Amino acid sequence: MKIGIVGLGYVGLPLAVAFAEAGHEVIGLDTDARKIEALNNGRSYIEDIPDSALAAQANRLRATSNHGELESCEAVIVCVPTPLTGSREPDLTYLTDSATALSRVLQPGQLVVLESTTYPGTTRERLQPILEESGMAAGRDFHLAFSPERIDPGRTDYSVRSTPKLVGGVTPESAARAQELYELVCDRVVVLSTPEAAELAKLLENIFRSVNIALVNELSQLCDRLGIDVWEVIEAADTKPFGFMRFDPGPGMGGHCLPVDPFYLAFKAREHDFYPEFIELAGKVNRAQPAYCVDRIARALNEAEKAVKGSRVLLLGVSYKAGVGDIRESPALEIVGLLRQLGAEVSFHDPFVPELSEFGLSSVGLEEGLRDSDLAAIVTAHPDIDYGAVVGAAPLTIDFRGVTREIEAPNLIRL
Ligand SMILES: NC(=O)c1ccc[n+]([C@@H]2O[C@H](COP(=O)([O-])OP(=O)(O)OC[C@H]3O[C@@H](n4cnc5c(N)ncnc54)[C@H](O)[C@@H]3O)[C@@H](O)[C@H]2O)c1
């Protein structure tokens, strides 16, 4: 098959590579000229896709900014961003812009699948009318479906192939066409009755995580007051073989999904005069966690008879999670801002993030950073860092990720 992928980011690029690896021709379309140039020169900008994977598919995978090239594709999959506006409402401009461009080149018989995470109703109420500006009707002249992306960047135990794929079509035939498409690259495709059910299933998955992370973040604050080790409690509960699923506390929730997606559903619910309390409460607790971590840093410095003002604080890891360089919505950004407001001299070390341009900071070497700090805070625990050595070298270490559980030292504090 010939498949078009619109939006070549964390979602679109791995999918494009998966289709190419399965022997299909892929046209990747993006509005970012730097990404197109990088891909066409065999350079990947996504950690999970090595340059060698692009090189191996150079004959089958090509990037372009020209929508006209999508005309010859049998299926087009849309993977553009779905962020929030400044007032925390869904920002569908990337989606509507890409749909408008697509409507101008849409061909009879083509299948269009939306993969971007969004509220129930988006495919039918927002995407379909724009595509129908082509003069063709969805379900009759072209096919339309929603299939949520479940990728977890950095994860190696599950792949595009081994993660079951959900699809919901605007008609049974659209669903069947989407099923056929994904069976080319996925071992299991689950067909739902509507795109709305598939849209909501994705939001349920993310809200489930957000709520459970909020629960353990709140527990970490309570444990601090009770003088109980939250990690010991979680590990103990995790020995139960049924009825418990482990989530770990941390410095707050980041990334393009968990801090954003639940509010897509809250928005839709409000349209129906319904106020989903779990979503708002989990968001509130998780958003307060970076400030709580700054409070813990201030208390740790105070114990060492130091003020935050003028203290040198080294953050270890600033991306939103281990093993990736994505800093979108990373709690580290808020921690840097709050520490600076208090007058701390902040530096950071992150092998995946060369700079934080909004703060004018570049990643410093680990040894040099530890030598020149009053306190090291483990914000994101990247692999291949010897945290025992960190505790040994830093005057004071505070661990927000529980990676020093095996270490006991007088200069070590944990969340
Ligand atoms: N990153 C994840 O882990 C993840 C997981 C599951 C679902 N999702 C969802 O998938 C969607 C995409 O997320 P992402 O992380 O890949 O985003 P991303 O920012 O990494 O990639 C999106 C790409 O779309 C391009 N783009 C923007 N407007 C465009 C347009 N009009 N036409 C063509 N290309 C355009 C951007 O240049 C960018 O390369 C979002 O809805 C997100 O919520 C993301």
Side-chain angles (χ1 to χ4, degrees):
M1 275 180 83
K2 188 168 176 188
I3 296 151
I5 309 262
V6 177
L8 297 169
Y10 283 92
V11 165
L13 185 57
L15 199 61
V17 170
F19 277 108
E21 284 174 347
H24 304 281
E25 188 181 346
V26 180
I27 303 288
L29 185 136
D30 206 288
T31 44
D32 185 338
R34 285 166 309 176
K35 285 188 177 164
I36 295 170
E37 201 211 322
L39 292 178
N40 289 338
N41 286 302
R43 285 196 318 275
S44 173
Y45 42 82
I46 302 277
E47 294 87 2
D48 294 345
I49 304 291
D51 290 352
S52 57
L54 293 180
Q57 303 309 325
N59 295 335
R60 280 190 283 259
L61 169 58
R62 199 162 45 76
T64 179
S65 60
N66 175 11
H67 284 82
E69 298 203 36
L70 297 175
E71 285 179 356
S72 55
C73 295
E74 287 144 84
V76 178
I77 303 175
V78 179
C79 314
V80 295
T82 43
L84 294 173
T85 63
S87 51
R88 302 193 75 72
E89 300 217 323
D91 175 1
L92 290 181
T93 48
Y94 297 99
L95 180 57
T96 53
D97 286 355
S98 60
T100 303
L102 187 54
S103 72
R104 298 193 184 117
V105 295
L106 195 66
Q107 298 298 309
Q110 267 182 340
L111 165 68
V112 178
V113 185
L114 177 62
E115 285 219 10
S116 304
T117 308
T118 184
Y119 58 78
T122 309
T123 305
R124 215 188 291 262
E125 294 160 14
R126 300 297 303 271
L127 185 54
Q128 182 173 331
I130 299 175
L131 295 178
E132 289 183 338
E133 285 168 15
S134 61
M136 291 186 283
R140 189 189 69 196
D141 306 314
F142 68 96
H143 293 289
L144 180 60
F146 180 80
S147 178
E149 178 55 55
R150 288 168 148 176
I151 197 166
D152 183 11
R155 180 178 282 278
T156 50
D157 50 352
Y158 283 93
S159 61
V160 171
R161 181 156 291 285
S162 61
T163 308
K165 196 90 175 94
L166 305 180
V167 299
V170 294
T171 60
E173 204 192 332
S174 287
R177 286 282 304 275
Q179 180 180 13
E180 263 172 49
L181 171 69
Y182 287 110
E183 277 174 352
L184 301 174
V185 287
C186 297
D187 289 339
R188 182 165 175 233
V189 179
V190 180
V191 180
L192 282 79
S193 62
T194 59
E196 290 77 17
E199 288 161 335
L200 187 52
K202 169 69 189 178
L203 292 180
L204 170 62
E205 291 165 13
N206 282 356
I207 292 164
F208 173 81
R209 296 192 50 222
S210 169
V211 167
N212 281 288
I213 292 169
L215 179 66
V216 286
N217 277 340
E218 191 181 65
L219 190 73
S220 72
Q221 297 196 21
L222 175 61
C223 280
D224 175 27
R225 296 208 184 179
L226 296 176
I228 297 173
D229 180 347
V230 69
W231 303 100
E232 186 182 359
V233 173
I234 289 170
E235 276 170 19
D238 194 32
T239 59
K240 187 178 180 188
F242 49 85
F244 182 80
M245 183 180 284
R246 178 177 177 149
F247 284 84
D248 287 350
M253 227 168 45
H256 184 38
C257 297
L258 296 192
V260 172
D261 301 345
F263 295 96
Y264 268 69
L265 187 58
F267 164 84
K268 188 67 181 175
R270 281 199 299 277
E271 280 187 359
H272 291 262
D273 208 13
F274 188 93
Y275 298 85
E277 304 203 18
F278 279 94
I279 294 174
E280 299 289 350
L281 181 61
K284 192 172 137 196
V285 171
N286 288 328
R287 276 210 303 277
Q289 197 72 356
Y292 172 71
C293 289
V294 169
D295 178 52
R296 292 290 304 264
I297 290 172
R299 278 162 47 198
L301 286 168
N302 190 51
E303 283 292 307
E305 297 176 18
K306 287 181 179 160
V308 180
K309 188 167 183 160
S311 284
R312 296 160 305 166
V313 179
L314 172 74
L315 302 192
L316 295 179
V318 293
S319 61
Y320 84 92
K321 72 169 182 174
V324 300
D326 192 349
I327 57 164
R328 289 179 291 183
E329 310 271 338
S330 173
L333 305 179
E334 199 173 338
I335 293 175
V336 175
L338 290 170
L339 284 171
R340 278 198 168 171
Q341 271 174 26
L342 293 173
E345 282 175 35
V346 185
S347 59
F348 81 93
H349 169 77
D350 191 317
F352 295 86
V353 182
E355 49 190 61
L356 290 180
S357 48
E358 66 173 287
F359 296 106
L361 291 175
S362 299
S363 177
V364 297
L366 184 56
E367 273 178 35
E368 163 205 352
L370 290 169
R371 197 182 52 232
D372 297 341
S373 70
D374 296 301
L375 177 146
I378 303 168
V379 177
T380 298
H382 286 305
D384 303 329
I385 291 188
D386 179 349
Y387 290 103
V390 167
V391 174
L396 193 56
T397 300
I398 185 160
D399 171 11
F400 296 127
R401 293 290 184 177
V403 287
T404 60
R405 281 273 290 126
E406 305 302 320
I407 306 167
E408 278 306 326
N411 61 336
L412 171 64
I413 297 159
R414 269 185 295 276
L415 184 67

